Amino acid sequence: MTGSNANDEAAATVPALDVTNLNTMQLDALREIGNIGAGTAASSLSLMTGEPIGMAVPRVSIMPVEEVGNYVGGEEQIVVAVYLQVIGDAPGHIVFVIPAETAHELCHQLMGGMQAGDPDPATGFSEMELSALQEIGNVMTGSYLRAMADLTRMHLEPTPPALGIDMIGALLGSVLAEVSQSTSMALLIETAFEEADMPSFGHFLFVPEPVSLEVVLRSLGLIA
Amino acid sequence: MSSTTPTKTPPRASSIKVGLGQLVVSKSPGDVLSALGLGSCIGLTVFDPVTKIGGMVHVMLPSSEISTHSGPDGKYADTAIPALVDQVSRLGGDPSRLVCKMAGGAQMFSGGSGGGSLNIGSRNAIAVRAALQVAGLRLKSAQTGGTFGRTVDIHIATGLVTVRTVGGAVEEL
């Protein structure tokens, strides 16, 4: 591979796209991917719970990986996180984070008044709630990814989602350590969900690997 | 928050957040250095009980050699420990007196893709131990592994190091 310095334009091996140097149109396209992916995920969840779920306009941010923790903040807030890796044409990482109280409420909606069973002292969630959360994670990350694959006509596959319940700093930090093995700069496509009676809902983070950015943007005709 | 935060350390007790990959040293008795919510990361604390100079580093990855990507010294175990010792020495601490403690290195995700690839935590703990040995430092106590997050504090006034977990009591390390 060539070095990271932009040098000869006619270089045989193209260096990975510089995430710090994207133009407005490219950033807009990435935001749109987040929008469509999360929109699809939100409607899937809506179908499961029977409650309408809205979402904010996605934010696209670029920063050193180790600053993402500070950027998200609230390190000690207890959350449920679903993490998976995207494999295929455009590898990357997806994390879906919901505050613990919201997760309980979602489980309640999903199970339609069924008894949840005794909560596990370590997590605060019952066995049945945990499987419900795993299912929510599967459906949401799956539909996000399918929407993205349809849009870009790429082959994208999720690894089986992993579930974690703890302080957000601990969960996100572990994911970021994983991410930082392949990149020092993270590009975040972040979408916040909202439901009428839940003031703080969840966040969906998609972090493409640096090589994927180029693949994605090329598939959309945004790289010459 | 104002963007013109004063950089001077206030005389009263102040809590200083040590974020991912960050390294902080202090000799102000009022300071409490905190790594909030450590998962697979390691919070390593050092303290010179004579000069009462201490520090903390929040290590994310075992080795700077496994990736060609840069980042702050504190990010990797092999670069974090020499950098921490160096900064403590510059403040006037004696490396031979340093009391070292660490916590973190957990595996936060279960099932799915979490089991195989996310074992960075245990690799981090091993790498920190190895780097301490290279630097000639002895680990006094450690609480690593498990499947839960930890918050670690070091009180510069006394060198007291505490660990707390979700739903658990605050424990001295």
Side-chain angles (χ1 to χ4, degrees), chain B residues 131-144:
Chain B
L132 286 172
Q133 204 160 22
V134 169
L137 299 173
R138 222 173 51 88
L139 192 62
K140 175 120 188 285
S141 54
Q143 200 205 89
T144 58

Side-chain angles (χ1 to χ4, degrees), chain A residues 29-30 33 89-90 148-156 211-224:
Chain A
L30 294 171
I33 287 178
D89 294 336
M148 200 174 107
D150 286 349
L151 186 70
T152 57
R153 298 199 188 154
M154 289 188 300
H155 171 72
L156 300 172
V211 288
S212 304
L213 264 188
E214 192 167 331
V215 177
V216 169
L217 292 173
R218 197 178 293 277
S219 79
L220 298 170
L222 289 171
I223 293 181

Side-chain angles (χ1 to χ4, degrees), chain A residues 52-57 192-202:
Chain A
I53 286 161
M55 50 180 251
V57 177
F193 292 102
E194 48 212 26
E195 193 181 309
D197 46 349
M198 292 182 204
S200 82
F201 193 88

Side-chain angles (χ1 to χ4, degrees), chain A residues 123-188:
Chain A
T123 61
F125 287 86
S126 72
E127 199 68 22
M128 201 186 250
E129 283 181 310
L130 288 180
S131 13
L133 289 171
Q134 186 82 48
E135 190 49 27
I136 289 171
N138 282 342
V139 167
M140 291 198 75
T141 50
S143 39
Y144 187 100
L145 214 53
R146 257 195 313 282
M148 200 174 107
D150 286 349
L151 186 70
T152 57
R153 298 199 188 154
M154 289 188 300
H155 171 72
L156 300 172
E157 243 182 87
T159 58
L163 191 71
I165 301 168
D166 211 295
M167 296 183 260
I168 187 168
L171 294 161
L172 203 56
S174 305
V175 171
L176 292 171
E178 194 71 31
V179 170
S180 67
Q181 288 183 302
S182 55
T183 177
S184 55
M185 295 295 290
L187 178 134
L188 304 175

Side-chain angles (χ1 to χ4, degrees), chain B residues 22-35:
Chain B
Q22 285 184 344
L23 187 165
V24 177
V25 291
S26 170
K27 56 176 178 182
S28 308
D31 284 352
V32 178
L33 314 183
S34 301

Side-chain angles (χ1 to χ4, degrees), chain A residues 66 70 75-76 78 81 83-85 159-164 166-167 169-171 174-178 180-182 184, chain B residues 17 20 36-40 60-61 69-70 72 75 108-114 117-118 120 123 148-149 151 164 166:
Chain A
E66 54 275 6
N70 263 336
E75 286 87 347
E76 294 189 295
I78 313 300
Y83 168 65
L84 62 89
Q85 290 174 8
T159 58
L163 191 71
D166 211 295
M167 296 183 260
L171 294 161
S174 305
V175 171
L176 292 171
E178 194 71 31
S180 67
Q181 288 183 302
S182 55
S184 55
Chain B
K17 198 161 95 176
L20 292 165
L36 306 174
L38 293 161
S40 65
M60 288 176 78
L61 288 172
H69 308 284
S70 56
K75 189 167 166 183
M108 298 306 302
F109 287 90
S110 61
S113 42
S117 60
L118 292 175
I120 292 176
R123 279 159 53 208
F148 47 89
T151 285
R164 64 176 187 276
V166 173

Side-chain angles (χ1 to χ4, degrees), chain A residues 52-118:
Chain A
I53 286 161
M55 50 180 251
V57 177
R59 285 195 292 182
V60 176
S61 350
I62 296 155
M63 65 191 78
V65 176
E66 54 275 6
E67 279 170 27
V68 177
N70 263 336
Y71 168 79
V72 173
E75 286 87 347
E76 294 189 295
Q77 189 192 1
I78 313 300
V79 297
V80 174
V82 178
Y83 168 65
L84 62 89
Q85 290 174 8
V86 180
I87 49 181
D89 294 336
H93 307 260
I94 287 180
V95 194
F96 175 48
V97 178
I98 26 179
E101 315 89 76
T102 307
H104 279 297
E105 180 59 30
L106 271 182
C107 289
H108 180 72
Q109 290 178 356
L110 194 66
M111 300 189 300
M114 262 193 295
Q115 278 302 325
D118 294 331

